[in-house]
Amino acid sequence: MNRLKITLSILVPVLLTACSTTELPQTDNTQPQATTNPHSGLNHHVHSGIPNHTHEHYQQRPPEQAPLSNAQRFSGALDAHNKVRAKHRLKPLRWSNKLAQYSQQWVNQLGSGRHCAIRHRSQTPYGENIYRSGAVSWSDGRTEISPVTIRQVVKSWTDEERWFDYNRNRCQPGKKCGHYTQAVWRDTTEVGCAMKVCADKSQTWVCSYNPPGNFIGKRPY
């Protein structure tokens, strides 16, 4: 029986520049230093990433499925965000085709090579979160696209809630929580997401947020 090894890697660049989430300022010296991102007409907001995670498990090869349309692929994006926002009585986000197209432009650039790159735009008027997954590798040497869903992607970001210290308005020492705080930022009203599969069958997902969040000195809610 063929067995597989799935490796999912969640990588987010140090610069959340023109892409998703930003990181709140940290007082712990072990935390990667955030970088301010000036943009005309906007206050400076800090971008940062989440730590790398590797998940490995073995299972039987599942049957092949028909490719999803974009509407199917992102049908759970709003629900995944808004369930978390509802916990804090925050207004639900609306889907934005403009932000989805904006995200697609960037994710296409990140996926233009053999491997999906992970980095944030150097300048952007929006907030941004990024997720990356590796391919599924089979024992016979074949590789396939990992069956990642938008709900899993958003959950990987919002699970950072455990590391957010609301009373001190910062992440716990040695942890990152900027993806979570962007997802629940009170003033954010719209989100649009995109994904790209690269030549090596890895994939990158990007969600853009308007207005952006993670402004220094402000609480997310």
Side-chain angles (χ1 to χ4, degrees):
M1 177 182 297
N2 289 335
R3 302 177 70 85
L4 65 80
K5 178 179 180 181
I6 299 178
T7 302
L8 302 180
S9 300
I10 304 171
L11 306 176
V12 179
V14 176
L15 295 179
L16 242 170
T17 53
C19 28
S20 70
T21 51
T22 59
E23 193 68 41
L24 296 176
Q26 303 291 323
T27 57
D28 184 80
N29 291 333
T30 63
Q31 187 76 3
Q33 185 175 1
T35 304
T36 56
N37 174 31
H39 189 278
S40 176
L42 292 174
N43 294 329
H44 293 181
H45 52 285
V46 181
H47 298 287
S48 181
I50 60 175
N52 299 342
H53 295 287
T54 298
H55 309 280
E56 298 182 353
H57 64 277
Y58 296 87
Q59 66 181 31
Q60 279 187 309
R61 183 181 182 185
E64 294 185 3
Q65 298 181 351
L68 298 176
S69 67
N70 262 1
Q72 292 172 319
R73 179 172 290 115
F74 298 107
S75 62
L78 289 180
D79 186 59
H81 281 89
N82 291 335
K83 279 187 176 180
V84 180
R85 292 176 65 87
K87 291 169 54 178
H88 305 290
R89 299 181 180 179
L90 300 169
K91 291 183 178 179
L93 299 181
R94 302 186 303 271
W95 181 261
S96 167
N97 288 329
K98 178 181 178 180
L99 291 178
Q101 293 171 2
Y102 185 84
S103 298
Q104 192 68 59
Q105 291 171 358
W106 183 241
V107 85
N108 286 346
Q109 183 169 333
L110 294 176
S112 59
R114 174 168 177 75
H115 308 286
C116 286
I118 295 294
R119 66 178 182 275
H120 295 277
R121 300 189 195 217
S122 58
Q123 291 190 4
T124 177
Y126 306 119
E128 182 180 74
N129 282 337
I130 294 182
Y131 175 99
R132 182 184 184 277
S133 170
V136 174
S137 297
W138 297 95
S139 58
D140 60 5
R142 289 175 297 171
T143 58
E144 294 180 351
I145 302 169
S146 180
V148 177
T149 69
I150 186 61
R151 291 181 182 275
Q152 292 171 324
V153 171
V154 176
K155 186 177 186 299
S156 74
W157 298 331
T158 57
D159 277 353
E160 294 176 2
E161 180 177 11
R162 75 189 77 174
W163 309 125
F164 179 57
D165 186 336
Y166 184 84
N167 292 329
R168 296 184 179 183
N169 191 31
R170 68 184 187 189
C171 303
Q172 294 182 21
K175 305 296 182 181
K176 294 184 175 69
C177 58
H179 295 85
Y180 163 70
T181 52
Q182 171 59 85
V184 297
W185 197 260
R186 177 194 294 111
D187 297 331
T188 299
T189 60
E190 298 178 307
V191 64
C193 307
M195 69 88 69
K196 170 73 175 182
V197 176
C198 298
D200 65 350
K201 299 183 181 179
S202 62
Q203 58 190 288
T204 298
W205 298 66
V206 172
C207 285
S208 299
Y209 301 83
N210 183 48
N214 294 344
F215 288 88
I216 295 175
K218 292 187 65 177
R219 294 183 184 276
Y221 48 83

